[in-house]
Amino acid sequence: MAFAARGGSELPYCSALVVIQRLLALSWAHAFVMALPEPEDAATTRLHVAILRIVHADIRFLLPRLGQSATNNHLLADRFASWYVHLLFPEFVDDTMDLNACEAAWLAELERQVYPDGTGFEHSLHYHELGCEMAAAYMLLCRRNSRPIASATLERIERMLGFQAGLAGPGSVTVPFGDATEDPLFALDTGNGWATAGIRELYRALFQPELSPAAPASPSVERAFWLLGGALAPRESFSGDQEDRPQLWPDGGFGVLPGEPGSARLVFRTGPGIRQDLVAGHMHADLLSVCVTHGDRPVLTDPGTWGYRWRPGETGPGRAYFSGPAAHNGLALAAVDPLGPVQGDFRKETIPIRVDTTRCLIGRGIAWLEAEIRGSSPYAGYRRGVVHVSGAYWIIYDWLPPGVEKSSAALSFQTAAGVQTRQTGTGTVLLETSAGTLWLAKGPGLDEPQIIQGRSDPPGGWVAPSYGTLIPAAQLRYGVAGDAALTTFTLGTGVAAARAVAVSVLETGLVMKIEGSDTSDLLLLAAHDEPVAVGMADAQGKAEAVWMRSRGQRPELLRCLGFADGVNRENRLPKGVGHADSGVMRPFAGGQHEIECVDPENLSIALSGEAWH
């Protein structure tokens, strides 16, 4: 304030957002001081007056500038702060806008920046989280001040909070896609800035009390406590029945394929949907990447954000590396960034590509997500799919873009800080944390992995758990062998790996053979126009995905997803076959009808006119 009073600078703050954050913090300080037990002594009075003087000065600074910020989270914060000030500090307002006009501008900006599925147009989890804090505070203040909220607004806020809670899962494990600086909107806890657990508690209290609670020791639970006025959802209210289910947010491009409760979870970051507008300044080249957590520990992770400053000619792990494809868990084509080159602190707001969700089939026994990059880029045509076979493993397959020089292609997986890697046999790496062990096994078409840690030129094997923190961590980098067009990985818990030993690319789908220590599995994935033909002792049918496990040459378990009777294409079950009800997939579901059969008899499976069993 002294610096501002000297008049040495017209704008003594780096942005309006900094002043908004201070204003919000001081408004809470004001509330805490007002809640001190009476009588108020002279020192408390001086403190109270000092806080209000600064609040008044900040409001005077902000009001003529709100609405002029960058058209991303900064503008959203402008609109929220304008409404907040007019609602709570009307005595300090001398402009011509009224509260209703401020509210309308804030809600219009919220709708512009948040996709219908609740994800955000910046493709940064941190800045989406700031929006969630604003939206939750708006909802709570409207309730406290008896102001009505439109049902469409409530639904959007519910989807925003639900996305954050669903992506992080019951363990509230932060997956830091996109830029992040750990600067909270409401500084009401002693954590590192992320409010993953706090958002889950806000979601429980406002919309879904039946969800399991976040761990009470998570610092950001305190943030939720204060925002809610202490009214957290009862910890004993949750049901816990199938709460962590496969989910897909197709607009923003995020999917979750969880394993058993408390086990591993896979997050599939596909990318911005085909027809979605965006502002890409804080976006990373994380298209078609996967992240994996185990219990409450990140294992395969997004690398994070080391800093926002870009330097021309940088060669080490700088801004271009951390926001580029080589640092993320997917495909990198030499030095080509699919979003366009990084030539400044922030990307251009527009990018030349989008991502199309090509498959979304969800069941209890099998879940299948697939997406493809579209647009003007060497990455166009790159397709990645993830299949989760419950109780067994995840399969990750990569269909490389046409016309790409395979020698320039690499598929990478960045481990989190503290993960221990150990190679055991051909193509298998064990990933060890305090939560247990995961295995990652390569299939045909891939070279043995390089394990890179803390390399500067060319950079590789770095993570930034928080802004400005640079830590070496193992990165697995796989070259593409020969002329392989399709590659596969398998991932599971424990130490007994199952490896894809053969992959067949057919005109109407894919066939994979996966070998375990004493099992042999067959996975068939059909193209849209030609399902897999399945015959059993008393029925014929067709399915979109089929998985069969054999032991000693004898089939012991069959799962079919998207199954329909072969005669009239109705979803009718063969005799003696159980229906594995997939339940409701939130917030988006593809077509699904699943059957599971133990010890199937007279079984036949065919795809593209070829018998596979």
Side-chain angles (χ1 to χ4, degrees), residues 71 88 99 139 214 316 327 454 459 472 531 534 548:
T71 56
L88 298 182
L99 180 59
M139 182 175 169
V534 181
M548 181 188 71

Side-chain angles (χ1 to χ4, degrees), residues 45 95 158 345 358 367 483 589:
T45 300
D95 62 12
E158 179 176 8
D345 292 345
T358 50
D483 59 352

Side-chain angles (χ1 to χ4, degrees), residues 2 5 13 46 54 117 169 222 346 389 396 417 498 534 553 572 581:
Y13 306 106
R46 287 196 299 271
I54 300 172
D117 65 2
E222 184 180 4
F346 304 102
V389 181
I396 303 165
V534 181
Q553 305 299 315
R572 188 160 56 84
D581 181 13

Side-chain angles (χ1 to χ4, degrees), residues 20 63 95 197 306 343 356 554 590 595:
I20 291 169
L63 284 179
D95 62 12
W306 183 37
Q343 296 177 332
D356 187 18
R554 178 179 175 80
I595 64 171

